[in-house]
């Protein structure tokens, strides 16, 4: 959440404009702290403003407000469609960074000593809660078994815990309802006959979910096609570049 805020605040300040930052209602504290730091750093009052609240109320009001000339949004495709429709009525310009199912390709000539940890942390970093997480691994058939085993070994070694604990390697998901959605995707894969390594909810405080590797799914399966926004990797083998691109 802090990175997302900084990526938006920085360019606005560099171009001499003012802004209103509306963080997610589930992750507002870092944005509020950022505003405090801007104040301490000497940013003039009224330049960096933070307004909290739910998207359907606060976000909608900001999008529709005549004093807002530009909208920059990071979030779900569903909300992005709503913003685009609202902005069209007043011809406001907007940038939307929405959901994705980003493929990570490991080619035949890959350096597997780099590619295997790279593939693991592309999806397990920030617990997979990343708009460009490497959620689909397309692996040359020559390396498929080794890469899947290597990523699974890394997944099994990841120590879960709160971000303030220096020993933690992966934190929780943002809330219980989101963890339930991630778990539902994994269960659908299991029900379809996929091989699933990991992918379990952890009892106790915090919305923890063990990192997962899924193989054996059809490309059309919803778990492959839809953004999960969690530590779940779907892996596929390919034999040549044309197949990988398809």
């Amino acid at each position: 959440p802090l990175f997302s805020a900084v990526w938006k605040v920085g360019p606005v300040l560099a171009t001499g404009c003012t802004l209103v930052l509306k963080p997610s209602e589930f992750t507002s504290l870092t944005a509020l702290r950022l505003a405090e730091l801007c104040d301490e750093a000497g940013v003039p009052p009224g330049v960096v403003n933070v307004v909290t609240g739910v998207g359907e109320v606060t976000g909608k009001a900001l999008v529709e407000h005549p004093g807002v000339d530009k909208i920059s949004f990071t979030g779900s495709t569903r909300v992005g469609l709503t913003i685009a429709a609202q902005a069209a009525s007043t011809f406001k310009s907007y940038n939307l960074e929405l959901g994705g199912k980003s493929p990570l390709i490991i080619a035949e000539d890959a350096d597997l000593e780099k590619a295997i940890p790279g593939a693991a942390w592309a999806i397990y970093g920030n617990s997979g809660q990343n708009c460009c997480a490497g959620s689909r691994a397309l692996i040359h058939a020559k390396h498929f078994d080794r890469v899947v085993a290597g990523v699974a070994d890394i997944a099994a070694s990841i120590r879960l815990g709160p971000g303030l604990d220096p020993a933690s390697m992966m934190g929780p998901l943002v809330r219980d309802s989101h963890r339930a959605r991630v778990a539902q995707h994994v269960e659908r894969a299991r029900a379809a006959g996929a091989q699933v390594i990991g992918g379990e909810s952890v009892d106790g405080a915090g919305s923890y979910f063990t990192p997962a590797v899924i193989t054996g799914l059809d490309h059309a399966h919803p778990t492959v096609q839809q953004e999960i926004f969690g530590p779940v990797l779907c892996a596929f083998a390919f034999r040549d570049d044309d197949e990988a691109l398809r």
Side-chain angles (χ1 to χ4, degrees):
L2 180 61
F3 288 163
S4 294
V6 169
W7 288 332
K8 296 185 185 303
V9 171
V12 174
L13 295 181
T15 51
C17 297
T18 61
L19 67 104
V20 179
L21 177 65
K22 207 296 285 183
S24 165
E25 61 268 31
F26 302 107
T27 59
S28 296
L29 291 179
T30 50
L32 292 168
R33 181 61 181 140
L34 176 62
E36 291 178 348
L37 293 173
C38 288
D39 185 53
E40 291 177 19
V43 175
V47 173
V48 175
N49 310 275
V50 177
V51 176
T52 60
V54 297
E56 292 86 349
V57 179
T58 309
K60 184 174 183 291
L62 286 169
V63 169
E64 295 177 344
H65 197 286
V68 174
D69 299 316
K70 169 83 176 184
I71 303 159
S72 179
F73 172 75
T74 297
S76 71
T77 302
R78 177 184 59 83
V79 175
L81 286 168
T82 302
I83 290 174
Q86 292 171 343
S89 65
T90 54
F91 295 103
K92 287 184 183 179
S93 61
Y94 57 85
N95 290 112
L96 307 176
E97 184 196 6
L98 309 178
K101 197 70 178 179
S102 313
L104 180 146
I105 301 176
I106 298 180
E108 185 175 10
D109 62 350
D111 179 347
L112 297 189
E113 296 302 316
K114 296 179 179 178
I116 289 173
W121 288 109
I123 181 62
Y124 301 141
N126 205 42
S127 307
Q129 299 169 122
N130 180 351
C131 294
C132 50
S135 51
R136 288 186 299 150
L138 307 179
I139 307 162
H140 193 278
K142 175 181 176 182
H143 304 308
F144 184 79
D145 291 342
R146 181 179 169 188
V147 170
V148 168
V151 172
D153 286 346
I154 291 172
S157 72
I158 291 175
R159 180 172 176 174
L160 304 181
L164 294 178
D165 181 353
S168 296
M169 299 171 69
M170 194 175 88
L173 295 173
V174 67
R175 59 190 185 279
D176 286 349
S177 60
H178 179 56
R179 179 176 64 177
R181 179 182 173 278
V182 173
Q184 185 180 52
H185 270 291
V186 174
E187 290 309 310
R188 285 176 179 170
R190 287 194 176 101
Q195 293 75 53
V196 180
I197 303 170
E200 303 286 349
S201 296
V202 178
D203 293 334
S207 303
Y208 291 98
F209 193 80
T210 62
V213 182
I214 298 176
T215 59
L217 273 182
D218 186 272
H219 280 284
H221 193 277
T223 298
V224 180
Q225 292 294 320
Q226 297 174 13
E227 184 181 41
I228 298 175
F229 217 65
V232 180
L233 176 67
C234 296
F236 299 90
F238 68 89
R239 288 171 291 278
D240 55 50
D241 290 352
D242 287 342
E243 183 182 4
L245 290 170
R246 284 197 304 275

